[in-house]
Amino acid sequence: MRNIALSNFFFIIISLFVVTFINPILSIVFGIIFASFYKVKAKIISKKISSYPLQIGIVLLGLTISADLLIPVVKDYFIWVSFFVIFSFFTSYLLGLLMGLDNKLNLLLSSGLSICGATAMAIAAPLIKAKPNTLLIALVIIFILNTVAIILFPLFGTYLNMNNFEFGIFSALAIHDTGSVIGSALQFSDNSVEVASSVKILRTLWLIPLIVFLNSKFDTDNVINSFPVFIIFFVIAVIFSNLMSFSYEVIEYLKVFSKIFISYGIFSVGLQSARLDLSEFRSKPFIVAVSVWLIVIPLAYVVAIN
């Protein structure tokens, strides 16, 4: 009973700290720390709340995005997003073949590295009938890369003197998970978050072709209910906010609430470390993932600054 009480107290203190400071790096770091001390508790919390806080935060963010920003971003970067998804997928898959990776692990990594990290892999796994252990290996690798991205990318952006728009594009093209994209952009600036989320939504939509492709390739009848519904709500939120023309004060309040939910969401990403068995880490798929990332990052930077 005492351990449970201490665990609850620790969770409340960390939660208040995260909400007060609203810092993505602190959010994921404290999530990992909490998971390391209270593994069972972290698993329960992570499983129950999943990515809901992050999704709510992104939808609230949609209420603050102007069509004057969204439409040009979609228009100018739709082709680039498509290029990066296709290029990343096939580059990863070919490197995986060269490294002798298991085909299903190779497909999971290629899906995660090209579209939206853990979400893409979780959707692809039942379609290709991947074993839980295979999915776990891929998730461990993506988790490591996304944690690094949240911490280092804002530093890169500052060092390279990127402006808010450039960093938003850069992070959305180069980082895998939606949570890590939003967290990295939030650490850089509020305006970067708006740009990053708009581009990342375009990238996540590539889940639809992925599902169709894998269904066809593996001739499966699985019904997929895992497509992120928050994308639809995000689009509805943008349309609604532009029709209503919210005042400046309302938009500022929405931004604050959005940040709070996003911070909790990123804290939950850190908690997911309790559900991963780091003993499942494998060097070959990690080398493939890092190699693809090292190719994509400079390309994303060039696209972002031009």
Side-chain angles (χ1 to χ4, degrees):
M1 290 295 293
R2 185 180 178 184
N3 288 337
I4 295 174
L6 285 173
S7 178
N8 289 331
F9 176 75
F10 189 78
F11 176 67
I12 291 170
I13 294 299
I14 293 301
S15 297
L16 290 174
F17 185 86
V18 167
V19 171
T20 302
F21 287 89
I22 312 176
N23 185 298
I25 293 177
L26 290 178
S27 295
I28 194 167
V29 168
F30 274 90
I32 294 171
I33 292 172
F34 182 87
S36 65
F37 280 98
Y38 302 100
K39 194 168 186 177
V40 175
K41 187 75 173 179
K43 283 182 179 179
I44 294 171
I45 296 169
S46 177
K47 185 175 181 180
K48 285 186 176 181
I49 69 174
S50 187
S51 59
Y52 294 127
L54 179 66
Q55 293 177 8
I56 293 170
I58 292 173
V59 172
L60 288 173
L61 185 64
L63 292 171
T64 71
I65 295 178
S66 167
D68 293 336
L69 169 69
L70 183 63
I71 293 174
V73 167
V74 172
K75 179 182 176 183
D76 294 341
Y77 289 95
F78 174 77
I79 298 298
W80 278 118
V81 168
S82 301
F83 166 77
F84 270 82
V85 169
I86 296 170
F87 175 79
S88 299
F89 184 92
F90 285 105
T91 300
S92 177
Y93 190 76
L94 290 174
L95 284 176
L97 289 177
L98 291 173
M99 293 291 289
L101 296 188
D102 170 77
N103 187 52
K104 292 183 179 180
L105 175 58
N106 201 9
L107 282 171
L108 287 180
L109 268 183
S110 300
S111 301
L113 293 171
S114 61
I115 302 178
C116 53
T119 302
M121 295 190 298
I123 290 175
L127 288 174
I128 65 176
K129 299 179 176 63
K131 295 179 180 179
N133 183 63
T134 302
L135 176 59
L136 191 58
I137 292 171
L139 288 174
V140 168
I141 292 169
I142 289 294
F143 177 81
I144 293 171
L145 296 185
N146 283 324
T147 302
V148 170
I150 289 179
I151 296 171
L152 294 186
F153 267 59
L155 299 177
F156 290 159
T158 301
Y159 178 76
L160 296 171
N161 294 315
M162 301 177 76
N163 61 38
N164 295 329
F165 186 88
E166 290 170 346
F167 187 81
I169 299 297
F170 174 59
S171 60
L173 292 177
I175 303 176
H176 313 114
D177 271 1
T178 301
S180 299
V181 171
I182 301 300
S184 176
L186 181 60
Q187 178 69 16
F188 193 79
S189 75
D190 291 351
N191 292 333
S192 291
V193 177
E194 297 175 3
V195 176
S197 60
S198 300
V199 176
K200 185 58 180 175
I201 291 298
L202 286 176
R203 191 171 162 189
T204 306
L205 286 173
W206 272 86
L207 284 172
I208 298 173
L210 176 69
I211 291 168
V212 173
F213 168 71
L214 293 179
N215 261 311
S216 173
K217 182 176 177 62
F218 287 86
D219 192 27
T220 178
D221 294 324
N222 285 354
V223 177
I224 299 300
N225 297 313
S226 302
F227 182 80
V229 179
F230 79 91
I231 293 176
I232 299 172
F233 286 111
F234 174 84
V235 175
I236 293 173
V238 173
I239 295 172
F240 179 76
S241 66
N242 281 273
L243 289 175
M244 294 297 293
S245 297
F246 292 136
S247 66
Y248 173 80
E249 290 77 12
V250 170
I251 290 176
E252 288 302 305
Y253 279 120
L254 287 170
K255 286 183 178 180
V256 170
F257 283 115
S258 172
K259 285 182 184 179
I260 291 172
F261 277 102
I262 288 172
S263 289
Y264 271 117
I266 297 170
F267 178 70
S268 299
V269 171
L271 292 181
Q272 290 173 10
S273 61
R275 301 171 64 184
L276 300 176
D277 184 358
L278 294 181
S279 67
E280 295 294 340
F281 176 83
R282 298 291 183 272
S283 60
K284 283 187 177 181
F286 184 72
I287 291 171
V288 170
V290 171
S291 297
V292 173
W293 213 23
L294 291 177
I295 295 170
V296 168
I297 288 173
L299 290 177
Y301 174 72
V302 171
V303 171
I305 63 172
N306 288 301

